[in-house]
Structure formats: structure tokens, C-alpha cells
Amino acid sequence: MPAKYVIHHTPTKPRFRPVGKLGIVDWREDCSSCHNCVKRDCVYRLFRDEADTLRDEIGYLDYIYQCKGCLNCVQNCTKNILTRVVNPEYRRLGDSYYTPDLILTTWYQAETGKIPVSGSGYGGPFSGPGFDSMWTDMSEIVRPTRDGIHGREYISTSVDIGRKLSHLEFADGQLKIDPPPLMETPLPVIIDRIPLHWRRGAVMTAVTTAAAEIGTLVVLGESDILEKDASPRGHVIPFLESPDASAAQQGGSAPFVMIPDRPDVMALQEALKLNHPARIVAIRIPAVPTVAGRVAELVRDGADVIHLAFDSHGRELGEAQPRHMRDVLRDTHTTLVKLGIRDEVTLIASGGIAAAEHVIKAIICGADLVAIDVPLMLALECRLCGECERGQLCPIALEEIDAEFGVRRIVNLMAAWHSQLLEMLGAMGIREVRRLRGETGRCMFFEDLERDTFGRLFGKRKS
Amino acid sequence: MSTIPYDLRSAGPGSPDASPAGPEYAEVSRDVRPAPPRYRNEIGKYSIHRAPHCAACGRCVEICRHGVHVRPEGYLHVMRPYDYRCIGPDCKDTGCFCIDACPQGALKLSENPAFETLGDHRWTPDLLMSTSTMAETGRPAGNHLEREVGASGGGFDRLRFRFPDSPPPDLRREDISTKLPLNRRGDSRPGITIDVPWYGGGMSFGSTNIRALLGKARVAKAFHGFTCTGEGGYPERFVPYKDHVITQVATGLFGVREETIQRAPIVEFKYAQGAKPGLGGHLLGDKNTPSVAAMRETVVGVSLFSPFPFHSVYSVEDHKKHLDWIAHVNPRALLSAKVSTPNDVDMVAVGIYYAGGHIVHLDGSYGGTGAAPNVAKKNIAMPIEYAIGRVHQFLVDEGIRDQVTVIASGGVRTPVDVAKAIALGADGCVIGTAELVALGCIRCTACESGRGCARGIATTDDELLEMLDVDWCTQRLVNLYSAWQQLLVDLLYRLGLDSVGALRGRTDLLTHLDYENET
Ligand code: SF4
Ligand code: SF4
Ligand code: SF4
Ligand code: SF4
């Protein structure tokens, strides 16, 4: 058995006070200055710190939104002058996909490295679009794995990247062909190319160092690499944006490169392997509606790895009514399975992977692994305000982060994700994430459950 | 419209004489008595502001039928309004509208902005408020609150009942039975029947305030129902209520001893729970206080893990052995198995029956009271609404539906949810969060932080435990159960059914708002 893969976390406080959800406000003019003001009794010592904090430059207002919302002070105040409010800044965080709640949860994981835990059941919507219309399965009694993260049995989250043989051929008792090269990552998550507006200060150093520490791979543009290291290290995947005829020379000695899809892409792949037969080439394809057909074509022509890029909300590109990657991946996976070529290629999905559960769900739908970017920026405290994209001042001064701080926060987030992957795999009774690929039998889709229960009783679902 | 059955004006929130006294082990009365909230400022949907130019004429005290304006005996001034009881602008049409009646024009009615910050999609502010109103008064809350459904957008929240034009003329409310028999096997074990088709779910000593747990045990006694130990052991203080306490055998086997098995009328095997299906339990070291450690026979301050699954059960045969073991230790106990809701939940249910179980307890994925990883609560296993129908149908097809009792839990918030679960095919329900909401839980979800629940519910912190009082908890739950029973009877009456048993599997009485409802 290989050594157990563990990601070590180190609690790392944020540099800026995170945007909180709830706050307590009072109408001071009615206050009777009670000797035993209810604020003193806050179990979370919120107001105990008030005096100290007021002297710092961190303002009072900034800070009242750290309330846990127990309402003790509000409900006990002698004059009933306290009330609870939702921080307007909290409401403004993120967007419909990267919701305020998701952002706060990501911050928590980046700070602590721990799985978010809470009491009192689930309070969210019954189901939702995309990944929110899938539930993963569990086994009551019979299952090979035990104990999830507290586990005594090893649950592997490793995946192999590269082309695989559909069958072996022997001659004279010897393997006739060399198996194509494979790379293994201990986590089914690699880091995608970080969009330009975030590549500031020590961000890229933090990202690449964190990738090395976790043991995963990171996609970098050629320019990013040349600035920093002339010879890309093993965990870097150079993205050759516009490779030309001299492709054979490109990508240095990198064992793994990524290229965009284009008509002559297979020739390009060949050229890139000319001097480096052990090199793996990934073809990045925008996930347009016809993508399944294109992927099948490329796999038949011998592609090693295909990277399907969705938009940041996990939607198809160039479509008025885009499908979610949930459906596109299922479609692509099934197309390949029907052609009998699914096992030959590695599928990477990116865009809209915002939480640990999305990793599991994307793999169930047919990806081998995923690539992420936005969650890492959230780990660095980004608020997704978009100011930097507009050339404005960043409220968290991302360009000033210390690389070590960035590494710790990213590693923490991945540690928390890893633990959640183990929890979900453990519950499903699956010991290897490799076995989860396309395993739709290990999950339940909203539309299937609805049809089998309510559809049977109430007929057609209204559209 | 709901009016109050007794004079609420005599009892305001927090007044010490508001809760009945008496030794906790005495008979528990099922009588409804006022049990006002324990906080001074209860948060309601509306705010009533009385301006300083109020002349204390007492007109509002006379006119309001909801106990908002109170002037205690011998007082000159009117108390600050108990505005959480106010029914809002609709009151204008009742002819008893204080705002219009005040000769000084000193009263102002507005929506309370803090109200909207309460709750979530499943437990909306209205459902929280309506539940605590029932716990206070023993009566349904007013129509100003949405009392039946939450805003989750699926499952129970989209199901509605189809009522006949008029109930049968000879049906009388007082003849409607809400009783639920739990032993349908026809074996030599007792035929236990409970008065209402729900009972209290397991919450362990160590996770929940013992006073809340005693309140649950006492209401179980009052309604000839049950509460459950959870997996934290059997506190001595439960012994007076032993006929109404289910001993839970969970994977950690904490506090499972011969005597705790032998005294239980029902023994429940917890295979899994909906909030964290497929995951083990985890009690943080901080909550493992000396009394908890003693109960669980462990070392103080050490985090306690309950593994998943039972490490002695890997097949239906193992499961049968497991049940046989308990059946042998206690020949009078009914056997229940609590499972979560995986894809093959129907097969699991059949397995429980064939191994000798009397009760199949399905715990859906959205419920639960204890702490659980968010990723599990949201994503693992199916919501209870789907599981009930599957299991019911499968048991019918197997020809064993009438030999086993199916209990549903995990997101059952109201008596209407209970009725929907039964119409989908369950026999009854287990409730948890609703009871805690009756005791003042606001679903802030911070049960695990620091010293535990800041409102004194999910905690073992000595100081925080003081926030609850056993009699108050009992009365709140008695009131809640009474109101629920009343609502259930009313619903059955409108459906034209003379018993809750007659509702089981009556999916023809349901519609779903997202479907065309034509098959
Ligand atoms: S509501 Fe609770 S957590 Fe928030 S400030 Fe008041 S006492 Fe503290
Ligand atoms: S916080 Fe705003 S400005 Fe700063 S990096 Fe994030 S999106 Fe850009
Ligand atoms: S508006 Fe009606 S219910 Fe509200 S306080 Fe006035 S009289 Fe009472
Ligand atoms: S901490 Fe909040 S959610 Fe948990 S029991 Fe207390 S009030 Fe309820």
C-alpha cells in the first residue's frame, strides 16, 4: 500500500477582516446604559473585544458583522433597542453562482484547512440547477471502506493523466508496444491557468509553490514561465497558446504541455512529441454544444488528454440556453463509451468547479479530473468584486500578498477539499476516485428521482 | 382566526410564574398552559411602537385579542407591547385594531426587519414563528404566518392536499383517531400504540441540554409516545420515563449495557443518520465534559468518534444476528432500525423486516439536529420525500407492507408534513428540529462553536445549561404536541378520514404544484 496521502494544514488568519453575514445594530439614543448590558454576555465575546478594536484602524462597523446571530443580546436587551441585520456588503459578495455563502465557506476552509461543519440540518433549497440537482449515494452496511477521514482503510484520490491503451499486444511473449506515458496526481484536481487580472504580485509564485507542495499540476502560460523559471519544473503544464510550425522546439523539456484545439491539432501533437516521445499533450477545447463529437474525433485520432473548458459558472459556451457541465460531461462520456474509446483518453473539466462536492459530481458525470482557478483566488481572500478587471483598486490589495501566506491558504483549502472528497467517497463505499468516473449509479439525479416518485403519481412535470 | 384559549395578558415573556411548577418525575399533564418565550424580546413579524405621548388609557389593552398590549394588575402604565404576538395589518378588518382605536394616535405598526433575517429556505421565519407560537399557546398560529410550507421549492413544500368538497356528514372531529400502532408483526411482543403518529428523535446526552432532553421525555410520557437516547448513553434521570424512552444502539455503543437494553420498550439500531449518511459521529473534546464522559464511559476532554458503519455488520445476515442479540437480551422490546436514504433504500427496508425489525425508520438527508459536515447534509443521500414512496411501494409489492411500521424523519417540520409523509406511504414520523424550535432554537447552525449553543439548547456548558428549565421545556412541548394534534385532526376531518391510519399511502389525496397532476 502506498504511503497515505495527507495534505497538512496550518491555520492561517486572513489579512483583512472577512465580510461577515450578520450584525447587531442599536439605536443608541434610547439606550439606558445598563450596568449589566447584554452585550457583555455575548457567548462569542463579540463586544468584549469592542473596546480594543475601536482603537485599531479596523473600524467598528467592519467588525460587527462577525456576529454568529444567536440573538441573545437582541432578545435580552432591557430597552429592546438592538436588532439584527444582514450585512449589505455580504449580500453584494460574488454572484449567483459564487454565492456569498460559498465565498464565506471557502474563506473558512482556506483559514482553517477544515471541513465546514454546522448543526441543525440543511437549510438550503430542495434542489437547484447543475450540480445542485445531484445527490451522491451511500451504503448502509455493506461496503469496503470505513470511517471516511478518520479512516483506517486507505481511500485513494490519485488519478492518472495520459493516453491509455485499449488493449495490449504481445509478440514472442514481450509487450509489442510501449505503453504511452502517464502522469499521476494524488488529487483529482489540478490548477488551471489563472486569468490575467489575478496574476499580480506573488500570486503566481504562491499558486505554483502550493501546487508543488500538494503534488498536483498547474497550467501556466508561456509568459508566466519565462518570467520566473526558464526550465519549468515537473509539476508545471506550459500552455502553448499559439504554437507554430517549429512546435517541436516549444515547451522546453516539459513532460506535459497543453495546446488549444485547432484543425491541425493532431499534427501539432505529433510535432510536440517528436523530440520528447514521453511527453503528454493535452488539448484544450472550449465546451461548445457540439463538443462531444469533436472529442470523439480527437480520441479516435489519438489524443492523450482533453481539457474541456466551461465558463466560470460551469456552463456551455456560445449558446443562448447553455447546458451545465453536468449534462455536457455525461453526454461526452457516454458518446465515448458507446464508441468503446472512453478508457483511452483522460478528460479534464474546468470552469465552475467551486466546491469539493463539484469535484465528485464532475467525476461522476464523466470527467477523470478537474481544473480550478477561482476557488484559489477566494482562498487568497478575493471578494470577486471585479475591481481589478476594471483596473480599479483591489480592496484586499492582492498584489501585496506574501507568497508564503498564499501557499498556506491554498494548501489549506485543498486539504479541506481532500477531506471532503474522502467523506463523500467513503460514504459511497468507493475506495478509489478512479473508480468513480462515470459511475452515475453511485448518484441520484433530480429528474430521475422526480420521475420515479412524483412523475408516477402526478403525471408530467410542468416545464 | 385564532384567538387565545386563556388570558395571555397575565403572562408575558420571561415572567417566572409563567411556567408550572412540580417535581419533574410526577405525572405529566397534557393540559395546555401558557408557556411564554424565555426571552424578553421575542422577535415577531411585526413591530408595534408606542410613542411617549401615550396617555395610558388602556384602550389598546381592552381591544387587542392577541395579548400584545398588557397592563398588569395594579399598574398604571401599559407594558412595552409584546409585539411578536401581533397579527399585523390584517387586524384592521377585525374591528379590534389598536392602531385605529388609540385615542392619542400613539401606536405605530410596522414590519419587523429583524424577522426576515431569521431562518432559511426550509425553516422560513414564518415556520419558526408559527412553531414557537404553538409552543407558547398550544394553538395554531394566526393566518398572518405561512404555517404549512417552507420555501425550499421542492418535496413537501410543493405538495398540497386535495380536499373533497365537503366531509362526510356523519364524521365528527371527536371520533377521529390519531393513534399509531407500532408492532404489526403479530409476534409475541407487546402491541405498543402511541397517541399521535410521531415521536421524538434521538438527541444524545452530550450534544443536547439534559433539561431539553427531559422535556422531551416528559412530553413523550404525556402523549404515550417516545423519545430516544441518541447514542450518548442512558442518563439516570431518564429512568422515571423508561416506558417512553427508546434505547439507541449506535456504532460507538456508548452506554449500551444490559440494563439499558432491558428497560427499553423499543431498541433502535442506528445504522446511519440522514444528516451525515455514511459518515461516523463526532463529539468534540470540549463537549466531552465529566458527566458526558461518565455516561459514555470514556476519558474527559477526548474527542469521541462513532465509526461508520457497524463494524460487526456487513451483510443482512450480520444484521439479523445483531437484532437477534437484542431480541434475546430483551424479549419484550420492539426492534427498530434507523437508516438513511441511499439509492437502494427499498431493499434495505425489506432487509430490516426479514431480520425481525418491527420499525423501519428512514432518516432523510435534509434533517438532523446535531453537527454534521455541510457537504454531507447537502449532497449525500436522497431527501425523505422520495424515499417514503419507494419503500412503501416496495413493501407493498413484497406483500409485507402491513407487517412493518415505516417511520419517516429528516425534514418533517409541521403536522402537515407529517400528514404528507403518511399520504406518501409512511405510518408515522420522527421529529427533532421542530421540538428544538419550540424550545427556542432559531437554527443559527452554530451548535458546534465554542461552548455550544448560545441559547442553551445544544450544549453541555454548565452556565449555558441554566438557560432552560425542565418544566418550561415540558410545557412548551406539550403545547406544541397539542396544537399539532389539533391541526392533524382538522386536516383529517377536511379530508373526510376517520383515522390517521386511513391516510397512509393515499397519494390520490395529494397534488404537486410542479406537475400537471393528470396520470
Ligand atoms: S446575536 Fe449573539 S453572537 Fe451576535 S452579538 Fe448578540 S450575543 Fe453575540
Ligand atoms: S478582491 Fe476584487 S479587485 Fe481584488 S483580486 Fe478579487 S476581484 Fe480583483
Ligand atoms: S394590530 Fe391588532 S393584533 Fe396587533 S397589537 Fe394591535 S390590536 Fe393587537
Ligand atoms: S446553536 Fe443555534 S441552531 Fe444550534 S441548537 Fe442553538 S439555536 Fe439551534
Side-chain angles (χ1 to χ4, degrees), chain B residues 48 64 66 68-69 86-87 91 96-98:
Chain B
I48 296 277
C64 176
H66 298 276
V68 174
H69 302 287
C86 171
I87 63 160
C91 185
C96 310
F97 191 46
C98 63

mmCIF file with all atom_site columns, all heavy atoms in Angstrom, chain B residues 48 64 66 68-69 86-87 91 96-98, ligand 3:
data_model
loop_
_atom_site.group_PDB
_atom_site.id
_atom_site.type_symbol
_atom_site.label_atom_id
_atom_site.label_alt_id
_atom_site.label_comp_id
_atom_site.label_asym_id
_atom_site.label_entity_id
_atom_site.label_seq_id
_atom_site.pdbx_PDB_ins_code
_atom_site.Cartn_x
_atom_site.Cartn_y
_atom_site.Cartn_z
_atom_site.occupancy
_atom_site.B_iso_or_equiv
_atom_site.pdbx_formal_charge
_atom_site.auth_seq_id
_atom_site.auth_comp_id
_atom_site.auth_asym_id
_atom_site.auth_atom_id
_atom_site.pdbx_PDB_model_num
ATOM   1  N  N   . ILE B 1 48 ? -44.759 46.894 17.024 1.00 0.00 ? 48 ILE B N   1
ATOM   2  C  CA  . ILE B 1 48 ? -45.707 47.923 17.443 1.00 0.00 ? 48 ILE B CA  1
ATOM   3  C  C   . ILE B 1 48 ? -44.917 48.904 18.286 1.00 0.00 ? 48 ILE B C   1
ATOM   4  O  O   . ILE B 1 48 ? -44.264 48.520 19.258 1.00 0.00 ? 48 ILE B O   1
ATOM   5  C  CB  . ILE B 1 48 ? -46.830 47.324 18.320 1.00 0.00 ? 48 ILE B CB  1
ATOM   6  C  CG1 . ILE B 1 48 ? -47.669 46.327 17.527 1.00 0.00 ? 48 ILE B CG1 1
ATOM   7  C  CG2 . ILE B 1 48 ? -47.681 48.421 18.922 1.00 0.00 ? 48 ILE B CG2 1
ATOM   8  C  CD1 . ILE B 1 48 ? -48.758 46.934 16.693 1.00 0.00 ? 48 ILE B CD1 1
ATOM   9  N  N   . CYS B 1 64 ? -57.098 44.640 21.946 1.00 0.00 ? 64 CYS B N   1
ATOM   10 C  CA  . CYS B 1 64 ? -56.301 43.627 21.236 1.00 0.00 ? 64 CYS B CA  1
ATOM   11 C  C   . CYS B 1 64 ? -56.664 42.231 21.725 1.00 0.00 ? 64 CYS B C   1
ATOM   12 O  O   . CYS B 1 64 ? -56.645 41.946 22.909 1.00 0.00 ? 64 CYS B O   1
ATOM   13 C  CB  . CYS B 1 64 ? -54.808 43.872 21.426 1.00 0.00 ? 64 CYS B CB  1
ATOM   14 S  SG  . CYS B 1 64 ? -53.819 42.566 20.656 1.00 0.00 ? 64 CYS B SG  1
ATOM   15 N  N   . HIS B 1 66 ? -55.001 39.581 20.977 1.00 0.00 ? 66 HIS B N   1
ATOM   16 C  CA  . HIS B 1 66 ? -53.841 38.693 20.857 1.00 0.00 ? 66 HIS B CA  1
ATOM   17 C  C   . HIS B 1 66 ? -52.785 38.875 21.934 1.00 0.00 ? 66 HIS B C   1
ATOM   18 O  O   . HIS B 1 66 ? -51.674 38.378 21.814 1.00 0.00 ? 66 HIS B O   1
ATOM   19 C  CB  . HIS B 1 66 ? -53.237 38.848 19.463 1.00 0.00 ? 66 HIS B CB  1
ATOM   20 C  CG  . HIS B 1 66 ? -54.210 38.449 18.400 1.00 0.00 ? 66 HIS B CG  1
ATOM   21 N  ND1 . HIS B 1 66 ? -54.389 37.154 18.015 1.00 0.00 ? 66 HIS B ND1 1
ATOM   22 C  CD2 . HIS B 1 66 ? -55.119 39.193 17.710 1.00 0.00 ? 66 HIS B CD2 1
ATOM   23 C  CE1 . HIS B 1 66 ? -55.351 37.107 17.103 1.00 0.00 ? 66 HIS B CE1 1
ATOM   24 N  NE2 . HIS B 1 66 ? -55.809 38.326 16.901 1.00 0.00 ? 66 HIS B NE2 1
ATOM   25 N  N   . VAL B 1 68 ? -51.121 41.498 22.891 1.00 0.00 ? 68 VAL B N   1
ATOM   26 C  CA  . VAL B 1 68 ? -49.965 42.346 22.602 1.00 0.00 ? 68 VAL B CA  1
ATOM   27 C  C   . VAL B 1 68 ? -49.816 43.436 23.663 1.00 0.00 ? 68 VAL B C   1
ATOM   28 O  O   . VAL B 1 68 ? -48.722 43.706 24.158 1.00 0.00 ? 68 VAL B O   1
ATOM   29 C  CB  . VAL B 1 68 ? -50.103 42.986 21.202 1.00 0.00 ? 68 VAL B CB  1
ATOM   30 C  CG1 . VAL B 1 68 ? -48.986 43.987 20.940 1.00 0.00 ? 68 VAL B CG1 1
ATOM   31 C  CG2 . VAL B 1 68 ? -50.130 41.892 20.134 1.00 0.00 ? 68 VAL B CG2 1
ATOM   32 N  N   . HIS B 1 69 ? -50.935 44.030 24.026 1.00 0.00 ? 69 HIS B N   1
ATOM   33 C  CA  . HIS B 1 69 ? -50.885 45.127 24.993 1.00 0.00 ? 69 HIS B CA  1
ATOM   34 C  C   . HIS B 1 69 ? -51.286 44.588 26.358 1.00 0.00 ? 69 HIS B C   1
ATOM   35 O  O   . HIS B 1 69 ? -52.351 43.993 26.518 1.00 0.00 ? 69 HIS B O   1
ATOM   36 C  CB  . HIS B 1 69 ? -51.823 46.253 24.579 1.00 0.00 ? 69 HIS B CB  1
ATOM   37 C  CG  . HIS B 1 69 ? -51.498 46.786 23.210 1.00 0.00 ? 69 HIS B CG  1
ATOM   38 N  ND1 . HIS B 1 69 ? -50.396 47.560 22.971 1.00 0.00 ? 69 HIS B ND1 1
ATOM   39 C  CD2 . HIS B 1 69 ? -52.122 46.611 22.008 1.00 0.00 ? 69 HIS B CD2 1
ATOM   40 C  CE1 . HIS B 1 69 ? -50.355 47.868 21.674 1.00 0.00 ? 69 HIS B CE1 1
ATOM   41 N  NE2 . HIS B 1 69 ? -51.396 47.299 21.071 1.00 0.00 ? 69 HIS B NE2 1
ATOM   42 N  N   . CYS B 1 86 ? -48.500 40.078 17.548 1.00 0.00 ? 86 CYS B N   1
ATOM   43 C  CA  . CYS B 1 86 ? -49.370 40.886 16.689 1.00 0.00 ? 86 CYS B CA  1
ATOM   44 C  C   . CYS B 1 86 ? -49.588 40.209 15.336 1.00 0.00 ? 86 CYS B C   1
ATOM   45 O  O   . CYS B 1 86 ? -48.682 39.612 14.773 1.00 0.00 ? 86 CYS B O   1
ATOM   46 C  CB  . CYS B 1 86 ? -48.721 42.256 16.493 1.00 0.00 ? 86 CYS B CB  1
ATOM   47 S  SG  . CYS B 1 86 ? -49.552 43.268 15.264 1.00 0.00 ? 86 CYS B SG  1
ATOM   48 N  N   . ILE B 1 87 ? -50.801 40.311 14.820 1.00 0.00 ? 87 ILE B N   1
ATOM   49 C  CA  . ILE B 1 87 ? -51.119 39.651 13.550 1.00 0.00 ? 87 ILE B CA  1
ATOM   50 C  C   . ILE B 1 87 ? -51.003 40.594 12.351 1.00 0.00 ? 87 ILE B C   1
ATOM   51 O  O   . ILE B 1 87 ? -51.271 40.207 11.223 1.00 0.00 ? 87 ILE B O   1
ATOM   52 C  CB  . ILE B 1 87 ? -52.519 39.009 13.574 1.00 0.00 ? 87 ILE B CB  1
ATOM   53 C  CG1 . ILE B 1 87 ? -53.593 40.078 13.744 1.00 0.00 ? 87 ILE B CG1 1
ATOM   54 C  CG2 . ILE B 1 87 ? -52.618 37.968 14.691 1.00 0.00 ? 87 ILE B CG2 1
ATOM   55 C  CD1 . ILE B 1 87 ? -54.959 39.611 13.295 1.00 0.00 ? 87 ILE B CD1 1
ATOM   56 N  N   . CYS B 1 91 ? -55.311 42.897 10.803 1.00 0.00 ? 91 CYS B N   1
ATOM   57 C  CA  . CYS B 1 91 ? -56.105 43.124 12.004 1.00 0.00 ? 91 CYS B CA  1
ATOM   58 C  C   . CYS B 1 91 ? -57.115 44.252 11.784 1.00 0.00 ? 91 CYS B C   1
ATOM   59 O  O   . CYS B 1 91 ? -58.151 44.310 12.423 1.00 0.00 ? 91 CYS B O   1
ATOM   60 C  CB  . CYS B 1 91 ? -55.166 43.456 13.161 1.00 0.00 ? 91 CYS B CB  1
ATOM   61 S  SG  . CYS B 1 91 ? -55.975 43.620 14.747 1.00 0.00 ? 91 CYS B SG  1
ATOM   62 N  N   . CYS B 1 96 ? -60.970 45.217 15.725 1.00 0.00 ? 96 CYS B N   1
ATOM   63 C  CA  . CYS B 1 96 ? -60.267 45.317 17.003 1.00 0.00 ? 96 CYS B CA  1
ATOM   64 C  C   . CYS B 1 96 ? -58.859 45.822 16.762 1.00 0.00 ? 96 CYS B C   1
ATOM   65 O  O   . CYS B 1 96 ? -57.892 45.248 17.256 1.00 0.00 ? 96 CYS B O   1
ATOM   66 C  CB  . CYS B 1 96 ? -60.173 43.977 17.704 1.00 0.00 ? 96 CYS B CB  1
ATOM   67 S  SG  . CYS B 1 96 ? -61.701 43.111 17.822 1.00 0.00 ? 96 CYS B SG  1
ATOM   68 N  N   . PHE B 1 97 ? -58.699 46.838 15.981 1.00 0.00 ? 97 PHE B N   1
ATOM   69 C  CA  . PHE B 1 97 ? -57.388 47.283 15.539 1.00 0.00 ? 97 PHE B CA  1
ATOM   70 C  C   . PHE B 1 97 ? -56.903 48.413 16.437 1.00 0.00 ? 97 PHE B C   1
ATOM   71 O  O   . PHE B 1 97 ? -57.418 49.522 16.389 1.00 0.00 ? 97 PHE B O   1
ATOM   72 C  CB  . PHE B 1 97 ? -57.530 47.748 14.089 1.00 0.00 ? 97 PHE B CB  1
ATOM   73 C  CG  . PHE B 1 97 ? -56.233 48.003 13.370 1.00 0.00 ? 97 PHE B CG  1
ATOM   74 C  CD1 . PHE B 1 97 ? -55.171 47.110 13.443 1.00 0.00 ? 97 PHE B CD1 1
ATOM   75 C  CD2 . PHE B 1 97 ? -56.100 49.139 12.576 1.00 0.00 ? 97 PHE B CD2 1
ATOM   76 C  CE1 . PHE B 1 97 ? -53.994 47.342 12.746 1.00 0.00 ? 97 PHE B CE1 1
ATOM   77 C  CE2 . PHE B 1 97 ? -54.925 49.378 11.869 1.00 0.00 ? 97 PHE B CE2 1
ATOM   78 C  CZ  . PHE B 1 97 ? -53.866 48.480 11.954 1.00 0.00 ? 97 PHE B CZ  1
ATOM   79 N  N   . CYS B 1 98 ? -55.913 48.108 17.251 1.00 0.00 ? 98 CYS B N   1
ATOM   80 C  CA  . CYS B 1 98 ? -55.469 49.077 18.257 1.00 0.00 ? 98 CYS B CA  1
ATOM   81 C  C   . CYS B 1 98 ? -54.999 50.392 17.644 1.00 0.00 ? 98 CYS B C   1
ATOM   82 O  O   . CYS B 1 98 ? -55.185 51.457 18.207 1.00 0.00 ? 98 CYS B O   1
ATOM   83 C  CB  . CYS B 1 98 ? -54.359 48.468 19.107 1.00 0.00 ? 98 CYS B CB  1
ATOM   84 S  SG  . CYS B 1 98 ? -52.879 48.055 18.154 1.00 0.00 ? 98 CYS B SG  1
HETATM 85 S  S1  . SF4 C 2 .  ? -52.722 45.456 15.365 1.00 0.00 ? 3  SF4 C S1  1
HETATM 86 FE FE1 . SF4 C 2 .  ? -54.258 44.054 16.245 1.00 0.00 ? 3  SF4 C FE1 1
HETATM 87 S  S2  . SF4 C 2 .  ? -53.076 42.267 16.870 1.00 0.00 ? 3  SF4 C S2  1
HETATM 88 FE FE2 . SF4 C 2 .  ? -51.626 43.912 16.527 1.00 0.00 ? 3  SF4 C FE2 1
HETATM 89 S  S3  . SF4 C 2 .  ? -51.377 44.824 18.517 1.00 0.00 ? 3  SF4 C S3  1
HETATM 90 FE FE3 . SF4 C 2 .  ? -52.969 45.977 17.513 1.00 0.00 ? 3  SF4 C FE3 1
HETATM 91 S  S4  . SF4 C 2 .  ? -54.862 45.038 18.123 1.00 0.00 ? 3  SF4 C S4  1
HETATM 92 FE FE4 . SF4 C 2 .  ? -53.233 43.602 18.643 1.00 0.00 ? 3  SF4 C FE4 1
#
